[in-house]
Amino acid sequence: MKEVKQNHPRYMPGLDGIRALSVLTVIAYHLNWGWASGGFLGVSVFFVLSGYLITDMLLEERKSKNRIDLKRFWIRRIRRLLPAMLSMIITVAAFLAISNHSRLISIQGDIWSAITYTSNWYNIFHQVSYFESFGPPSPLGHLWSLAIEEQFYLLWPLIIIGLSRFFSPTRGKFVLLTLAGAIISYIAMVILYEPGTDPSRVYYGTDTRAFGLLIGAALAFICPSRKLIDPNLRKNRSWINGMGIIGILIVIYMFLQTGEYDQSLYTCGMLVLSFATSFVIAAAASPSGLVSKILGWKPLRWIGVRSYSIYLWHYPVIVLTSSTSPNTDASYFLQMIQLILSIGFAALSYSFIETPFRSGNWRIWAKILGFRSEGRATLLQFRFFVRLVPVVILVLIFVSCMFNQSSTEVAFNSQSPTNANAISSPSDQLPDETNGVPTASPIVDTKHDVPNAVPTPSPKGNNVPIVSASPVPTASPEGNHAPEQTVLVPTPTPVSESSAALTPLVPDAKNQDRITQSE
């Protein structure tokens, strides 16, 4: 936790309240609660908040050290985000490998794109809709937003370093350049959006969603966290709180009244939401303000601290515990169970995965696993577990590939023309009839003087007519002749006997004797 304290000398509880409200509205939207028709916009709030915090962190480091350590920054991001996400993906993959391996095979592309933080572009290129589902949704379908954030974390520090080194812009110029980038991204959304169609392309795209992150970054240039605690700013605190309250009202209104297909959302709505969120962030980051006190409520802080893990776990829990039928709505009891499971898994992930990797404090694992040693020995043991993670991922992918190969072989064998079941199917072997004469083979003589099938009487000697299954008449071992029948009931013949069954239709000497005996 020392790294966090160095870059953020004070804790801003109001920002955790923003996280909590955003993740709860996203969950409500995924649970299909009618009042949260705009709950998906919680992700847009996250974008603005992430842009603000990351830029504030970079500016603080640049001010204190006169440089930005890219390696250290990216390692912190990896430790903060990747372990918790990998643990969720491994858990989901293991669950599907046991319960439904065909579904695991179908989400292999989602797994790879999630690990490489390219889920949003994967969904765009495969035309995966965020708003419509024509089959069981992927339990990893929500990771597109993390992909956009990671792409921003990769490029934004390079842009700041490049601008600082070659142009040396002032803070005001940084703000103008950042807002110019936001406007370009917003224009891209307006141009690419096609009214009356699925808006998933502009919803997923990094190019069309970057304006939210850049507006948050511009706020960090205008109101860095250190400036908000300046005593000279107290005279403007009432103005900041007023703007924050207006921002909260706008955000709540859009959460409750906006629909995913509203044309106004993609022409101006998301831009308005991003600026409103920036007002809320500025007010929430100001100490002792009304907005900060409201959003700093302890239950909201508890949820906000764990909001990343809650976001990771809620969607796979909802998808894997809901009916695969799109017309079936989950009961409120099931939804409460899903909500409890989501928060429970998130709390475990935060305590046992997210916090130890981020802070380097492994005491909780040492207590559980009974490690008595301190220092290097314990660290080496935990490094073993860390290195085991990619091995587990590779094993799961290998197993899923084996399942895929096995399923392909089964499907091929079932469609093979030499399949015994397909050949022996009665429906494929029944001959056609024309005027009572079988036409199963082109060599069958259809002349009227060919004798029809003659029934064989019962072995007990009764004159009960039983239609013979063979076109060749036979004599009863001991019974009398039965009345002549003219109705033919053909019976399918196995392939191995097909030639022999057709031979009697052209009688030879032996068969002629049998016919004479019958007559």
Side-chain angles (χ1 to χ4, degrees), residues 10 45 48 65 106 110 118 135 166 223 226 246 266 269 285-286 303 323 339 346 355 367-368 374-375 398 446:
R10 65 182 184 84
V45 175
V48 181
K65 298 181 179 181
S106 68
D110 298 297
T118 56
F166 297 105
C223 299
R226 286 187 178 274
I246 294 174
Y266 305 98
S286 301
I303 296 174
S323 173
L339 182 60
T355 299
K367 292 179 181 179
I368 293 176
E374 298 291 340
F398 173 76
T446 58

Side-chain angles (χ1 to χ4, degrees), residues 42 47 61 67 74 79 88 143 170 187 217 254 280 343 380 402-403 459 511:
F47 285 163
E61 183 176 0
R67 61 185 295 268
W74 286 330
R79 291 170 57 185
M88 182 273 294
L143 299 182
T170 60
I187 293 175
M254 296 189 71
V280 179
I343 296 177
L380 289 175
M402 293 298 294
F403 279 135
N511 289 329

Side-chain angles (χ1 to χ4, degrees), residues 6 62 74 128 146 179 212 284 450 452 472:
Q6 287 176 0
R62 180 171 172 265
W74 286 330
V128 178
L146 301 183
L179 290 178
V450 177
N452 290 327
V472 181

Side-chain angles (χ1 to χ4, degrees), residues 417-437:
T418 60
N419 187 281
N421 294 332
I423 292 176
S424 61
S425 174
S427 61
D428 296 335
Q429 299 297 325
L430 286 176
D432 295 332
E433 291 183 313
T434 304
N435 297 328
V437 180

Side-chain angles (χ1 to χ4, degrees), residues 225-474:
S225 59
R226 286 187 178 274
K227 186 177 180 180
L228 292 174
I229 62 174
D230 189 345
N232 296 326
L233 194 65
R234 291 180 179 177
K235 58 182 179 180
N236 298 323
R237 188 154 295 159
S238 58
W239 180 81
I240 293 177
N241 280 327
M243 295 298 294
I245 292 174
I246 294 174
I248 289 178
L249 294 177
I250 293 174
V251 170
I252 293 176
Y253 174 82
M254 296 189 71
F255 282 166
L256 300 179
Q257 299 297 325
T258 304
E260 57 264 32
Y261 294 106
D262 289 353
Q263 181 176 347
S264 61
L265 182 64
Y266 305 98
T267 55
C268 63
M270 284 194 180
L271 186 66
V272 172
L273 176 68
S274 298
F275 279 111
T277 302
S278 66
F279 298 155
V280 179
I281 292 172
S286 301
S288 67
L290 177 62
V291 175
S292 179
K293 291 180 179 179
I294 294 174
L295 295 176
W297 186 38
K298 190 173 182 179
L300 290 179
R301 293 205 320 260
W302 189 92
I303 296 174
V305 169
R306 295 157 180 81
S307 59
Y308 175 62
S309 292
I310 293 175
Y311 183 80
L312 284 176
W313 283 97
H314 85 279
Y315 195 68
V317 167
I318 293 174
V319 168
L320 296 177
T321 58
S322 298
S323 173
T324 56
S325 174
N327 299 323
T328 303
D329 295 330
S331 64
Y332 284 108
F333 176 76
L334 176 59
Q335 291 178 346
M336 290 298 105
I337 296 298
Q338 291 171 338
L339 182 60
I340 293 172
L341 288 176
S342 300
I343 296 177
F345 283 128
L348 293 175
S349 176
Y350 176 79
S351 299
F352 295 101
I353 303 295
E354 188 177 340
T355 299
F357 274 96
R358 184 182 60 197
S359 63
N361 185 356
W362 297 92
R363 292 178 182 177
I364 187 170
W365 277 100
K367 292 179 181 179
I368 293 176
L369 299 178
F371 290 159
R372 301 293 183 181
S373 58
E374 298 291 340
R376 184 173 179 80
T378 302
L379 181 60
L380 289 175
Q381 289 170 327
F382 281 109
R383 283 179 178 174
F384 169 77
F385 288 107
V386 173
R387 293 171 181 173
L388 188 63
V389 170
V391 177
V392 173
I393 294 175
L394 292 177
V395 170
L396 289 174
I397 294 175
F398 173 76
V399 171
S400 66
C401 290
M402 293 298 294
F403 279 135
N404 191 13
Q405 182 180 0
S406 176
S407 301
T408 304
E409 291 177 354
V410 171
F412 178 78
N413 292 335
S414 64
Q415 297 175 1
S416 176
T418 60
N419 187 281
N421 294 332
I423 292 176
S424 61
S425 174
S427 61
D428 296 335
Q429 299 297 325
L430 286 176
D432 295 332
E433 291 183 313
T434 304
N435 297 328
V437 180
T439 59
S441 172
I443 66 174
V444 176
D445 189 2
T446 58
K447 294 182 179 180
H448 295 287
D449 57 351
V450 177
N452 290 327
V454 179
T456 302
S458 171
K460 294 183 180 181
N462 299 328
N463 291 328
V464 179
I466 301 178
V467 180
S468 174
S470 172
V472 181
T474 58

